[in-house]
Amino acid sequence: MDEITERILSHFREVCSIPRCSKNEEKIAMWLKQWALHHGFSVKFDSVNNIVIGVPGSKGCEYLPSIVIQGHMDMVCEKTQDSDHDFTKNPIIPVVDGEWLRAQGTTLGADNGIAIAIALALAEDKSLKHPPLELLFTVDEETGLTGANALTPDFISGEILLNVDSEDEGVFTVGCAGGLNTTISMPVDVSPLPENMITFNLVVDGLVGGHSGVDIHENRANANKLIAGALSSIADRMDIRIIDIKAGSAHNAIPRYAQATVAVTAGKQEELSKLISDLENEMKSDYSEIETGLAIRIDEFSSPSLDSQKEITESIDSETSSRIIGLLQELPHGVASMSADIEGLVETSSNLATINIKDGKLVVLSSQRSSVDSGLAALTSSIESVAKKYGADYEHNSGYPAWQPDMSSPLLKRCMEVYSSVFGEKAKIEVIHAGLECAVIGSKFETMDMISFGPTIKNPHSPDECLHIPSIRKIWDFMVVLLESFAVKDEKKKAGKAKKKGKGKRSRS
């Protein structure tokens, strides 16, 4: 491993040692403040804990317009079912696996910790030539773009922004989808569990999961939809009562695991076991190319509840159980439409993200994305209709806008030229079906010219997340030349003006 890559990864390991799940970025923010002060850089926070570190320009470039290098502090905290990792206190230990960096049983957090690491390495390297830099690190990108939404016009001054939160080296992202989350709630009535019923845990496990935007077109199974289908199949054959459901983990992660505690009439164990076995074989066949670890199983007849070791004495009544199953079956998941303008781009989609029963209510979270406002509105309206059909309430969050591509962007032109000069090949340009902070930042800073790029990351938002180590150096080499290009261009401009000024004086003498 070369010295520069190792230096960047050294910063990344420090970032990984600090707990930083979404909405819990206080420790990483304080660490960044201490790092900045230790290096003699200015630092400031805003009302939500966004941080900007001011790095002076190199010699001769001190008074150039600043460049914003931006990433987010938080990470998606996902782990395998057998992992005992505590994201509130345990460090993530990156492990080298050939050309890849992984974690053990958890998300790695390269999304977006590697942006922090690269930015810090650039800032502390005194050999580089660059304009003043503003290292902007935001909070809570993964669960609501909270940090970006809270930015105020006086927090940063630069009008060029390099977002280091894309996941394919050699690709410049110039646009992204907008999105909206819908929370559906339904009161659940409980009644005494009939004495002739047995309870068991129905589990869907072993799925690949992944990013609900980037991976939504890959036909990866959704554990929430699979468990809804399994519950529906059971309900078609026997009386069923739902006791509890816990499924999915985040709005932007395709669910990998789902569990429901249910009750059926005693004496149906053999029939039920065969039914679930048949369903598992059917699902394995449907997803054979992707979901090699898929499992649908029954864990322990007459098992305790999910939340206690007490004997189960109550269940949701039969009628409400049926409405819950119908609701989950009909709520959409997956690609709703493809773009007519950009080949291969998902235009509109939804992710049936989480299901929980809490405080006497079923609570379901659906996350919708679209690059077209009308598509987002239509899909959201259909979700509202399903909720109404089953007597459920719904509410929407404020959402985030789409980032519309500007193919005439001077920054895009410059980046393409620099990439070609450094690597001898053309970079690709793409619009992605995921949310980026550029969309929100662009809506707040209308003159901002923005682009997004980053090293290659596979399977973000899942425990299979991995970072391609060689791509880190390529991002470094590109950014070094890109930043220098702003300084060189300005120096040439100044030299030209000085030359013209000198000629003018001689002609008048």
Side-chain angles (χ1 to χ4, degrees), residues 213-402:
V214 175
D215 302 319
I216 198 69
H217 63 290
E218 294 187 357
N219 195 37
R220 300 185 182 189
N222 179 323
N224 295 354
K225 293 300 290 184
L226 294 192
I227 205 162
L231 291 172
S232 179
S233 294
I234 296 170
D236 286 343
R237 292 163 175 78
M238 59 192 75
D239 185 19
I240 183 172
R241 308 284 179 95
I242 294 174
I243 297 164
D244 202 358
I245 303 178
K246 293 188 183 300
S249 60
H251 81 97
N252 51 9
I254 300 171
R256 298 177 296 106
Y257 179 89
Q259 178 172 313
T261 301
V262 297
V264 297
T265 305
K268 298 286 187 178
Q269 292 96 316
E270 185 176 343
E271 179 183 352
L272 188 60
S273 295
K274 184 179 187 309
L275 171 61
I276 296 304
S277 177
D278 290 344
L279 282 173
E280 182 184 58
N281 291 334
E282 181 182 335
M283 292 300 103
K284 283 183 175 180
S285 176
D286 289 345
Y287 295 99
S288 60
E289 295 184 4
I290 298 175
E291 303 290 357
T292 56
L294 184 155
I296 304 176
R297 66 178 186 271
I298 293 171
D299 280 355
E300 299 182 19
F301 285 105
S302 301
S303 62
S305 68
L306 296 178
D307 292 326
S308 74
Q309 295 300 312
K310 295 180 181 178
E311 181 183 359
I312 297 172
T313 60
E314 293 183 325
S315 67
I316 297 170
D317 64 66
S318 180
E319 188 273 333
T320 306
S321 293
S322 295
R323 285 195 294 121
I324 290 173
I325 294 169
L327 174 71
L328 299 180
Q329 277 280 79
E330 290 193 34
L331 284 172
H333 170 82
V335 176
S337 64
M338 301 295 292
S339 171
D341 301 318
I342 302 175
E343 184 178 355
L345 175 68
V346 177
E347 183 176 88
T348 306
S349 75
S350 64
N351 178 40
L352 184 58
T354 65
I355 310 168
N356 290 282
I357 294 176
K358 186 177 181 180
D359 298 330
K361 286 186 177 182
L362 171 79
V363 181
V364 180
L365 179 64
S366 173
S367 178
Q368 300 86 252
R369 303 176 189 266
S370 184
S371 52
V372 179
D373 289 345
S374 60
L376 184 62
L379 181 57
T380 301
S381 179
S382 70
I383 290 170
E384 292 174 355
S385 296
V386 173
K388 289 177 183 177
K389 177 180 176 179
Y390 288 96
D393 297 321
Y394 56 84
E395 61 181 4
H396 313 296
N397 71 347
S398 57
Y400 54 92

Side-chain angles (χ1 to χ4, degrees), residues 25-207:
E25 302 93 348
E26 296 85 0
K27 290 181 180 179
I28 185 68
M30 290 307 300
W31 180 84
L32 285 167
K33 177 182 179 181
Q34 292 166 3
W35 181 92
L37 295 177
H38 174 75
H39 286 81
F41 300 142
S42 65
V43 60
K44 63 180 179 178
F45 292 88
D46 67 8
S47 61
V48 299
N49 231 16
N50 291 324
I51 182 172
V52 62
I53 298 171
V55 180
S58 55
K59 187 176 180 181
C61 304
E62 297 91 342
Y63 301 104
L64 295 178
S66 62
I67 306 292
V68 182
I69 299 176
Q70 191 263 324
H72 59 86
M73 290 180 269
D74 63 317
M75 63 174 284
V76 171
C77 294
E78 283 269 300
K79 62 182 181 180
T80 57
Q81 289 302 309
D82 59 353
S83 171
D84 60 358
H85 186 92
D86 184 345
F87 284 107
T88 66
K89 61 183 180 181
N90 297 148
I92 292 171
I93 310 297
V95 177
V96 175
D97 179 11
E99 291 190 343
W100 296 88
L101 198 68
R102 307 177 185 273
Q104 294 182 327
T106 71
T107 38
L108 175 63
D111 175 15
N112 193 221
I114 194 61
I116 298 174
I118 292 171
L120 299 189
L122 285 167
E124 69 182 9
D125 192 330
K126 303 299 183 184
S127 70
L128 304 181
K129 195 172 189 65
H130 58 77
L133 305 177
E134 293 177 285
L135 311 185
L136 173 62
F137 303 125
T138 51
V139 300
D140 196 25
E141 187 268 354
E142 298 289 5
T143 65
L145 301 169
T146 305
N149 276 306
L151 290 174
T152 55
D154 60 344
F155 197 58
I156 54 175
S157 62
E159 294 191 349
I160 291 173
L161 183 139
L162 310 178
N163 171 276
V164 193
D165 192 21
S166 287
E167 293 152 0
D168 289 294
E169 190 283 318
V171 176
F172 294 130
T173 302
V174 297
C176 71
L180 185 73
N181 291 342
T182 300
T183 301
I184 300 162
S185 60
M186 177 194 295
V188 293
D189 297 325
V190 297
S191 58
L193 183 67
E195 293 182 1
N196 67 334
M197 300 196 87
I198 57 169
T199 64
F200 61 94
N201 290 333
L202 179 65
V203 177
V204 175
D205 196 5
L207 304 186

Side-chain angles (χ1 to χ4, degrees), residues 444-508:
K444 290 175 170 288
F445 301 86
E446 294 183 358
T447 60
M448 187 79 76
D449 200 356
M450 304 175 293
I451 200 162
S452 181
F453 53 81
T456 298
I457 299 172
K458 298 295 185 185
N459 300 310
H461 300 186
S462 86
D464 294 322
E465 179 187 3
C466 55
L467 170 65
H468 191 231
I469 297 171
S471 68
I472 298 171
R473 178 59 191 265
K474 292 191 72 175
I475 292 297
W476 170 272
D477 291 343
F478 165 73
M479 291 187 74
V480 166
V481 179
L482 177 64
L483 293 173
E484 184 178 359
S485 76
F486 287 98
V488 170
K489 185 175 181 180
D490 191 80
E491 286 179 346
K492 287 180 178 178
K493 189 185 296 183
K494 286 181 178 179
K497 287 181 179 179
K499 189 174 181 180
K500 287 180 181 179
K501 187 175 181 181
K503 286 181 179 180
K505 285 182 178 180
R506 287 193 292 273
S507 65
R508 290 193 295 269

